[in-house]
C-alpha cells in the first residue's frame, strides 16, 4: 500500500490533467457530429447553456467531494455517509464499461494515425471509398490489436503514478493537442467553400430547436466533462487545500468547451467545403474527414496531424478513467499499484474485445430499452447507451443529491472557501443549481432516453 498519497505537483498540473480527462473523443469526434445532427448553431447555443448550468455545477460538486476527503470515489462516499458508498461503486463500474469501448475507438484512431504515417490509403476495390473502408475495418479482427495497444499505452502511463505518470503525460499531450487542433481548424476554415460550414456552425436557426436537441446536448455535456462517475472526484482528491476549487471548475469546463468549439471549426467547414453532409453521425471524423483530406493539398499531412491530436485527446481521457478505478483498488483493496493497473487494464481490454467483435466480426448483442422500447443492439453500441444514457446521468444525479442535500451544500461551500481563503462568487447560484436545477434537468434526460416521456 502507498505510504503517502501522491498529489499533483502544481495547480497547472491538475488543470491540465483534469482538462485532459474532459477533452477527448467526446469533444473532437462526438461534438461535431452532434452539432451536425442537432441542426448546427442552435445546438451549440444550448450546449453552452447546459455547460454553464449543469456542467459546472456537477464538476464543482465532484471536485469538492474528492478534495475534502482526499480519497478514491468509494472511500470518499464511505467517509462522508456510508449509505452512499454505492455511488462510488457505481462510478467504478461505469469506468469499467466506458474504458472498454472507449479503448476500441482509441484503437481505431491509432490505426488511422499509422495509416497516414505510412502513406496507406483508404481505397477499397481500386477506388477511394472511406465509408466502405471504415465499415470493413471496424467489422474485422484487426481493431482488436489496436485496441490492446491503446489500452497498453494507458496502462504504462498510469503505472507511473499521479505526478510522475499522469501529470507528466498531460503536460506534453495537452499543449500539443491545442497547437495541432488550431492548425487543422485554420486549414479547414480557409478551404474554398468553407464559409457554408462556418455559417452552419455560428448562425442559429431556432426552428431546429426541440426538446430532443436539448436532451442530446445534456447527454453530451455530461460525457464531455467526465462527470458523474467519480473520475473528477478522484482527480480532485490529489489536489492540495491551497487551490481554488470554484475557479478550477470554471477553468476546466471552459477549456473543454473551447476545445469542442475549435473541433467544430476544424471539422464542419471542411465537410461543407468538400460538398459532404455533416449528418453522417459517428462516422463523421473517420469517413467524411478522411475523404476531405484526400481532396486537398498536403491532405495526408493534415490527416496525420488530425488523428495524432485525436489520439492525444483519447489517451489523456483513458488514463483518467483507469486512474479512477486504480485509486479504488489500491486504497480500498490494498493491492499494489502496478498489479492493480495491469489487472484492471486486462479485464477492461477483455470486455473491449467483445465490444469490438460486435461491430461485425461476430454477432454479440445485448438487450436495451431505448426511447422506442426494447431491442437487441450490438454490444459496442449497447455499452455506449448504457454509460451515456443511464450510468453517467444517474451518477451525476446522485452526486447532486448527495452534495446538495445529504452531505449538504453548506459543508461543500465551506470546503470550497477554506475558511474564507477563497472567494466563491457564484455560491448562491451553485447552491440552487446543485439542489434543484441540475438534478431536475438530469432526471428529464433520463426519462426521455428511456421513452418514459416523449417530445
Ligand atoms: N470526457 C471524455 C471525452 O470527452 C470521456 C470521459 C468520460 C472521460 C468519462 C472520463 C470519464 O472524451
Amino acid at each position: 500500500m502507498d505510504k503517502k498519497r501522491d498529489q499533483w505537483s502544481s495547480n497547472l498540473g491538475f488543470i491540465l490533467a483534469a482538462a485532459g480527462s474532459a477533452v477527448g473523443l467526446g469533444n473532437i469526434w462526438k461534438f461535431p457530429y452532434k452539432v451536425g445532427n442537432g441542426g448546427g448553431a442552435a445546438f451549440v447555443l444550448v450546449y453552452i447553456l447546459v455547460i454553464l448550468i449543469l456542467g459546472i455545477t456537477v464538476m464543482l460538486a465532484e471536485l469538492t467531494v474528492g478534495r475534502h476527503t482526499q480519497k478514491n470515489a468509494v472511500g470518499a462516499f464511505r467517509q462522508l455517509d456510508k449509505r452512499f458508498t454505492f455511488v462510488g461503486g457505481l462510478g467504478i463500474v461505469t469506468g469499467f464499461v466506458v474504458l472498454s469501448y472507449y479503448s476500441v475507438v482509441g484503437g481505431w484512431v491509432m490505426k488511422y494515425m499509422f495509416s497516414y504515417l505510412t502513406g496507406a490509403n483508404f481505397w477499397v476495390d481500386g477506388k477511394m471509398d472511406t465509408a466502405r473502408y471504415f465499415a470493413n475495418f471496424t467489422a474485422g479482427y484487426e481493431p482488436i490489436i489496436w485496441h490492446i495497444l491503446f489500452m497498453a499505452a494507458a496502462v504504462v502511463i498510469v503505472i507511473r503514478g499521479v505526478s510522475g505518470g499522469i501529470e507528466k503525460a498531460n503536460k506534453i499531450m495537452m499543449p500539443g493537442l491545442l497547437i495541432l487542433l488550431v492548425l487543422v481548424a485554420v486549414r479547414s476554415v480557409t478551404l474554398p467553400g468553407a464559409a457554408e460550414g462556418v455559417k452552419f456552425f455560428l448562425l442559429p436557426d431556432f426552428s431546429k430547436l426541440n426538446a430532443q436537441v436539448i436532451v442530446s446536448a445534456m447527454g453530451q455535456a455530461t460525457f464531455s466533462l467526465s462527470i458523474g462517475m467519480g473520475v473528477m472526484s478522484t482527480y480532485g482528491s490529489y489536489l492540495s487545500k491551497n487551490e481554488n476549487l470554484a475557479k478550477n471548475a470554471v477553468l476546466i469546463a471552459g477549456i473543454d468547451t473551447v476545445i469542442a468549439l475549435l473541433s467544430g471549426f476544424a471539422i464542419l467547414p471542411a465537410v461543407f467545403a468538400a460538398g459532404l453532409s455533416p449528418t453522417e453521425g459517428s462516422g463523421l471524423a473517420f469517413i467524411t474527414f478522411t475523404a476531405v483530406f484526400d481532396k486537398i493539398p498536403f491532405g495526408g499531412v493534415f490527416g496525420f496531424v488530425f488523428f495524432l491530436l485525436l489520439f492525444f485527446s483519447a489517451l489523456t481521457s483513458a488514463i483518467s478513467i483507469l486512474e479512477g478505478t486504480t485509486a479504488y483498488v489500491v486504497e480500498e483493496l490494498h493491492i499494489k499499484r502496478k498489479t492493480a493497473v495491469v489487472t484492471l487494464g486486462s479485464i477492461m481490454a477483455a470486455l473491449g474485445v467483445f465490444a469490438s467483435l460486435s461491430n461485425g466480426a461476430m454477432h454479440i448483442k445485448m438487450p436495451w430499452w431505448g426511447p422506442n422500447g426494447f431491442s437487441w443492439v450490438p454490444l459496442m453500441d449497447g455499452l455506449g447507451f448504457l454509460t451515456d444514457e443511464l450510468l453517467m446521468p444517474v451518477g451525476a444525479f446522485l452526486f447532486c443529491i448527495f452534495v446538495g442535500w445529504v452531505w449538504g451544500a453548506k459543508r461543500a461551500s465551506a470546503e470550497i472557501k477554506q475558511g474564507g481563503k477563497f472567494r466563491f462568487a457564484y455560491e448562491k447560484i451553485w447552491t440552487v443549481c446543485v439542489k434543484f436545477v441540475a438534478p431536475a434537468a438530469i432526471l428529464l434526460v433520463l426519462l426521455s432516453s428511456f421513452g418514459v416521456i416523449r417530445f
Side-chain angles (χ1 to χ4, degrees), residues 310-331:
L310 205 51
F311 170 67
F312 281 171
S313 80
L315 191 57
T316 52
S317 297
I319 57 185
S320 74
I321 308 174
L322 192 54
E323 176 59 29
T325 51
T326 299
Y328 159 69
V329 170
V330 170
E331 292 169 12

Side-chain angles (χ1 to χ4, degrees), residues 241-263:
K241 300 272 181 195
N242 296 322
E243 307 298 348
N244 188 337
L245 290 179
K247 203 169 99 194
N248 281 346
V250 174
L251 246 160
I252 299 163
I255 297 173
D256 189 62
T257 308
V258 167
I259 301 272
L261 295 176
L262 263 175
S263 310

Side-chain angles (χ1 to χ4, degrees), residues 60-294:
L60 182 57
E62 265 205 48
L63 292 179
T64 308
V65 166
R67 215 268 302 270
H68 181 75
T69 57
Q70 309 268 303
K71 286 202 164 72
N72 64 85
V74 172
F77 281 100
R78 180 178 293 144
Q79 176 182 325
L80 295 174
D81 189 326
K82 277 208 172 55
R83 294 170 303 169
F84 276 72
T85 311
F86 77 95
V87 182
L90 184 73
I92 304 299
V93 172
T94 311
F96 263 89
V97 181
V98 175
L99 192 49
S100 67
Y101 70 81
Y102 201 83
S103 166
V104 174
V105 184
W108 297 350
V109 171
M110 279 175 92
K111 156 79 182 180
Y112 274 64
M113 188 172 87
F114 279 99
S115 296
Y116 275 113
L117 194 63
T118 54
N121 57 42
F122 302 98
W123 288 39
V124 183
D125 294 340
K127 69 175 188 344
M128 175 80 183
D129 189 338
T130 55
R132 270 179 69 202
Y133 182 91
F134 180 70
N136 289 348
F137 166 66
T138 52
Y141 292 93
E142 189 189 337
I144 294 175
I145 301 169
W146 296 102
H147 154 62
I148 291 171
L149 280 175
F150 182 86
M151 189 70 87
V155 164
V156 167
I157 296 170
V158 175
I159 282 182
R160 305 175 78 93
V162 174
S163 52
I166 299 175
E167 186 172 338
K168 284 214 177 93
N170 274 293
K171 275 189 172 152
I172 301 167
M173 285 192 273
M174 287 306 286
L177 178 156
L178 185 66
I179 295 167
L180 298 179
L181 186 56
V182 170
L183 203 77
V184 180
V186 168
R187 171 69 280 206
S188 178
V189 294
T190 51
L191 286 169
E196 272 313 302
V198 176
K199 270 195 215 146
F200 177 75
F201 192 52
L202 291 185
L203 297 180
D205 170 1
F206 287 106
S207 68
K208 297 264 171 61
L209 207 61
N210 55 38
Q212 206 47 53
V213 170
I214 300 174
V215 168
S216 155
M218 286 203 236
Q220 172 65 15
T222 319
F223 186 81
S224 187
L225 289 179
S226 315
I227 49 184
M229 51 189 276
V231 162
M232 281 298 166
S233 73
T234 305
Y235 268 20
S237 77
Y238 303 126
L239 194 60
S240 102
K241 300 272 181 195
N242 296 322
E243 307 298 348
N244 188 337
L245 290 179
K247 203 169 99 194
N248 281 346
V250 174
L251 246 160
I252 299 163
I255 297 173
D256 189 62
T257 308
V258 167
I259 301 272
L261 295 176
L262 263 175
S263 310
F265 280 116
I267 294 185
L268 294 166
V271 168
F272 275 82
L276 299 164
S277 159
T279 54
E280 273 306 310
S282 61
L284 194 60
F286 293 96
I287 299 170
T288 321
F289 219 37
T290 41
V292 173
F293 288 139
D294 189 58

